[in-house]
Amino acid sequence: MTASSTALTLRDPWALVPSLGNLDAYISAVNRLPMLTPEEESTYARRLREHGDLDAAGRLVMSHLRLVVSISRQYLGYGLPQGDLIQEGNVGLMKAVKRFDPDQGVRLVSYAMHWIKAEIHEYILKNWRMVKLATTKAQRKLFFNLRSMKQAFKGDASAADSHRASLSAAEIERVAEELNVKPAEVVEMETRMAGGDVALEPSGSDDGEEAFAPIAYLADDRDEPTRVIESRRRDHLAGDGLLQALEVLDARSRRIVEERWLKVNDDASGGMTLHELAAEYGVSAERIRQIEVAAMKKMRKAMEAVAA
């Protein structure tokens, strides 16, 4: 680093870090920032603790940004953007700087490591899946160790067993013993990590007739208020409403409607036909049909009045 850039950094600790741009430029910039000597670190930490000096806090943070970048590389296997991991790690670094006590005899790099990892862990747990996989201490321990231990077991396995994805009973006991958790918790976490997210809604590209997402069968709308009201109204119309609509008809029209639409015999043959009714009343089948159509119109108006 040149003398001019060093002087610029001393005046403004954020000057060398690009505000926008690609990740490589950021990493290159933070790796050029000067490290603090133990004396400088102690001085800045005391200025922050005793006087709330934000410039001192900035210098402590800036000198350890490369630590966050280094730690973030350890978590690239989870498939999350390194830029996001660095961002969360920087939050942990700032928390560490705020709580750092130089009189404890520990360098900030050692103290901050815990805070940086804690923030990155929390980010991974929240974003690796839509549903958070680990909430208890034992689950978190398993989440961040189970995959690496499974890889170790796979490396130790024979060629015949190398295709095996799940843990054997002996391996489950070994993981539980090493991590001081219950075997049942190992099995549960392995099952959680082996599963994947399932979209409730169908994807935009899958718009064919066969598209059938879980939302179609998971939703239970039987107690949805509007459906309850509709169901009650439909039951009322099918019962009392229908009886009131039949009351507006004369005897002949009512009997025609009942025989044609409302009567079901034991043999499932239904009511009388147009010709049978025509023979009974001494008119043509077409006349019976006309009476039926007129009766249905009257009933429809009556039922609309009931529904209103």
Side-chain angles (χ1 to χ4, degrees):
M1 178 176 293
T2 64
S4 59
S5 62
T6 303
L8 178 61
T9 304
L10 293 176
R11 290 196 305 268
D12 182 3
W14 305 100
L16 287 181
V17 180
S19 57
L20 295 173
N22 60 45
L23 182 61
D24 291 337
Y26 172 85
I27 294 175
S28 176
V30 299
N31 284 334
R32 295 198 305 269
L33 292 172
M35 299 291 292
L36 296 178
T37 64
E39 294 75 17
E40 290 174 328
E41 180 178 293
S42 179
T43 299
Y44 289 137
R46 286 190 173 85
R47 282 170 51 184
L48 172 61
R49 186 181 62 177
E50 297 171 4
H51 306 289
D53 190 334
L54 295 182
D55 179 68
R59 296 174 191 277
L60 291 170
V61 169
M62 293 293 288
S63 64
H64 290 80
L65 290 178
R66 69 181 69 195
L67 173 64
V68 177
V69 172
S70 176
I71 293 175
S72 70
R73 292 196 183 100
Q74 303 173 19
Y75 299 94
L76 295 180
Y78 292 95
L80 297 171
Q82 186 181 10
D84 291 347
L85 296 174
I86 292 174
Q87 177 175 279
E88 296 300 320
N90 287 342
V91 173
L93 173 60
M94 288 185 284
K95 289 182 178 180
V97 167
K98 183 179 180 180
R99 294 167 173 79
F100 180 59
D101 184 357
D103 296 329
Q104 293 296 323
V106 179
R107 291 296 302 272
L108 178 57
V109 64
S110 301
Y111 180 75
M113 196 172 296
H114 162 77
W115 291 92
I116 295 169
K117 288 185 176 181
E119 289 296 322
I120 293 178
H121 285 185
E122 190 65 26
Y123 171 76
I124 292 173
L125 289 174
K126 288 181 179 178
N127 294 276
W128 195 61
R129 292 274 175 81
M130 292 178 64
V131 178
K132 193 171 183 180
L133 294 185
T135 53
T136 66
K137 183 178 180 180
Q139 290 173 349
R140 295 168 71 98
K141 189 187 302 183
L142 280 165
F143 179 84
F144 288 106
N145 290 277
L146 187 56
R147 288 202 310 169
S148 59
M149 296 185 73
K150 286 181 68 174
Q151 289 295 326
F153 293 149
K154 187 175 181 181
D156 296 339
S158 64
D161 295 334
S162 61
H163 67 281
R164 186 168 45 83
S166 59
L167 293 173
S168 65
E171 290 170 342
I172 291 174
E173 291 291 340
R174 181 175 167 185
V175 171
E177 183 179 354
E178 289 191 20
L179 298 181
N180 193 27
V181 297
K182 299 177 181 177
E185 292 175 322
V186 178
V187 175
E188 181 182 358
M189 181 53 64
E190 185 184 18
T191 303
R192 290 187 182 188
M193 296 181 69
D197 294 328
V198 178
L200 292 178
E201 299 284 358
S203 62
S205 58
D206 188 9
D207 55 356
E209 295 182 358
E210 300 300 323
F212 194 68
I215 193 68
Y217 56 82
L218 288 179
D220 184 1
D221 54 6
R222 289 175 296 180
D223 294 326
E224 198 272 326
T226 58
R227 288 189 175 272
V228 172
I229 294 174
E230 290 176 0
S231 177
R232 290 176 180 174
R233 177 173 294 183
R234 184 169 54 250
D235 292 344
H236 173 69
L237 290 177
D240 296 340
L242 180 60
L243 291 176
Q244 294 179 33
L246 288 172
E247 293 293 333
V248 303
L249 303 179
D250 58 76
R252 184 176 64 172
S253 297
R254 177 169 180 166
R255 182 158 185 271
I256 291 173
V257 170
E258 289 177 342
E259 288 290 341
R260 293 279 294 146
W261 296 98
L262 303 178
K263 191 172 182 180
V264 179
N265 295 334
D266 294 337
D267 59 0
S269 61
M272 299 173 66
T273 65
L274 290 175
H275 292 283
E276 290 172 341
L277 288 168
E280 179 178 332
Y281 287 106
V283 296
S284 65
E286 174 61 20
R287 178 57 185 156
I288 295 296
R289 189 192 68 78
Q290 293 173 354
I291 295 173
E292 177 186 337
V293 171
M296 297 294 284
K297 288 182 179 180
K298 288 183 180 179
M299 290 180 64
R300 188 176 297 110
K301 289 183 179 180
M303 295 188 75
E304 288 176 353
V306 172

